[in-house]
Amino acid sequence: MRLFIGIELDEAVRDSAAAIANSLRRRLGRRVDARWIPASNLHITLWFIGNVADDRADEILRSLDRPFTVPAFDAHIAGLGAFPPSGAPRVFWLGVQSGAEQLATLHAGLSARLLPLDIEPERRAYSAHLTIARVKEIRGGKADADLRASLRVVAADAGTCRIAAVTVFRSHLSPKGATYEALLRVPLQ
């Protein structure tokens, strides 16, 4: 099964983030071919695990099934950006204006629980964000600066929500796109 660990956002923030994504999508038009994330799938990823056997998944769930010492907190989701920071964008995201420090602390806590199971983090430093689209292709000439300028002019404040748990998700892939199933919710303090 394919697993990742993330933060669930409340419906109001997911809907606002989806509306921001739709606004950006309209602004970019046919210049960008991207897979836009549906509101129901919007989350903040803490750790991507990938495909594991069922017995390995059980081991992972057991290692995570105790509360985190981080107190519940508010996360404010706002500001558009793109990865990588220069060149052709591959991902469009909304930033975490408040709550990023707590998310980094949770990521470090996951590291302490997962590294003993030989589950390595990504090579890049953790950067809290909400992915709204994965870019497949940019049509036309050198449009990087124009695309990044478009990000600055779209109103992008999805609001604030209370974060009280870390969720282990199972990702079900299909030709129609991924669906996520919450396997375990681990409370914050």
Side-chain angles (χ1 to χ4, degrees):
M1 74 178 66
R2 186 176 170 90
L3 300 178
F4 69 91
I5 302 166
I7 299 294
E8 294 178 272
L9 303 169
D10 68 27
E11 185 176 357
V13 168
R14 286 193 321 265
D15 288 348
S16 292
I20 292 165
N22 285 334
S23 178
L24 178 61
R25 184 183 202 170
R26 284 190 303 277
R27 177 173 283 281
L28 297 176
R30 297 161 92 73
R31 293 185 300 163
V32 175
D33 181 17
R35 184 176 55 82
W36 297 87
I37 311 299
S40 61
N41 281 1
L42 291 171
H43 66 277
I44 298 171
T45 300
L46 288 170
W47 200 293
F48 179 75
I49 296 173
N51 291 317
V52 296
D54 289 354
D55 59 335
R56 182 81 162 136
D58 290 341
E59 180 183 23
I60 292 166
L61 293 172
R62 281 191 305 274
S63 76
L64 296 171
D65 196 10
R66 65 183 187 279
F68 286 89
T69 58
V70 175
F73 62 96
D74 291 331
H76 181 202
I77 310 301
L80 277 167
F83 290 136
S86 62
R90 294 279 126 231
V91 169
F92 295 131
W93 50 261
L94 287 168
V96 178
Q97 299 300 311
S98 67
E101 289 175 22
Q102 292 92 331
L103 291 167
T105 300
L106 287 170
H107 184 268
L110 286 169
S111 182
R113 296 179 189 198
L114 296 173
L115 288 177
L117 301 176
D118 294 324
I119 299 173
E120 297 290 326
E122 289 189 28
R123 296 190 195 283
R124 298 180 294 247
Y126 179 71
S127 175
H129 66 281
L130 173 61
T131 297
I132 58 171
R134 296 190 185 284
V135 178
K136 296 177 188 176
E137 178 185 3
I138 299 172
R139 297 181 182 101
K142 192 168 172 72
D144 301 346
D146 289 345
L147 284 177
R148 290 177 192 284
S150 293
L151 298 179
R152 289 189 291 275
V153 297
V154 173
D157 189 334
T160 300
C161 66
R162 189 78 176 156
I163 307 301
V166 169
T167 303
V168 180
F169 291 97
R170 179 178 184 179
S171 178
H172 299 275
L173 302 178
S174 78
K176 293 181 179 182
T179 56
Y180 303 144
E181 172 188 3
L183 296 179
L184 176 68
R185 287 184 179 91
V186 183
L188 303 184
Q189 209 176 44

